[in-house]
Amino acid sequence: SRTVGAKEPQNGLGSPHGGAAAPLSDELPTAAMLVFDRSRRTSVSVSLHCEYAAAAPAGEHVLVRCRVHKIGRTLAYLGADITSEDGRLFVRGSHVKFLMRASM
């Protein structure tokens, strides 16, 4: 997925605020998970973690590469790397989701 670093919200150094990475590390891997979860179960976040490797310049195009590591009976393990178009890592996100039973 491609997106453009927003000019707002910015941190004190003029770079996109790190909190802007959390929704990308949450929503995009969840969408990828739905492709592979044949039951299309409702899920809730158990853990969402972002590691910040470098600042993305404001307005720069970034790539979000999503990974579905494992979908189990009750948990799904997901990840996302937010990089520059040439592969420089800005943020690595990891995400664990609780999968509800289809009948809930």
Side-chain angles (χ1 to χ4, degrees):
S1 175
R2 288 181 197 266
T3 188
V4 177
K7 295 191 180 210
E8 296 294 334
Q10 292 182 346
N11 62 24
L13 301 174
S15 296
H17 191 277
L24 296 175
S25 297
D26 178 358
E27 296 166 10
L28 296 178
T30 298
M33 177 195 73
L34 291 173
V35 171
F36 296 103
D37 183 24
R38 294 172 198 221
S39 300
R40 299 188 62 88
R41 294 171 280 182
T42 299
S43 62
V44 295
S45 296
V46 173
S47 173
L48 179 62
H49 180 76
C50 293
E51 296 176 16
Y52 301 95
E60 178 164 335
H61 288 265
V62 297
L63 296 175
V64 182
R65 290 186 173 88
C66 300
R67 296 177 309 282
V68 178
H69 297 293
K70 179 181 179 181
I71 299 175
R73 196 169 39 95
T74 59
L75 294 175
Y77 298 88
L78 314 172
D81 285 344
I82 301 173
T83 66
S84 65
E85 290 186 318
D86 64 3
R88 182 174 177 218
L89 181 66
F90 297 130
V91 179
R92 175 159 289 152
S94 61
H95 195 184
V96 178
K97 307 245 358 178
F98 174 74
L99 304 172
M100 297 183 190
R101 290 188 309 248
S103 62
M104 289 183 115

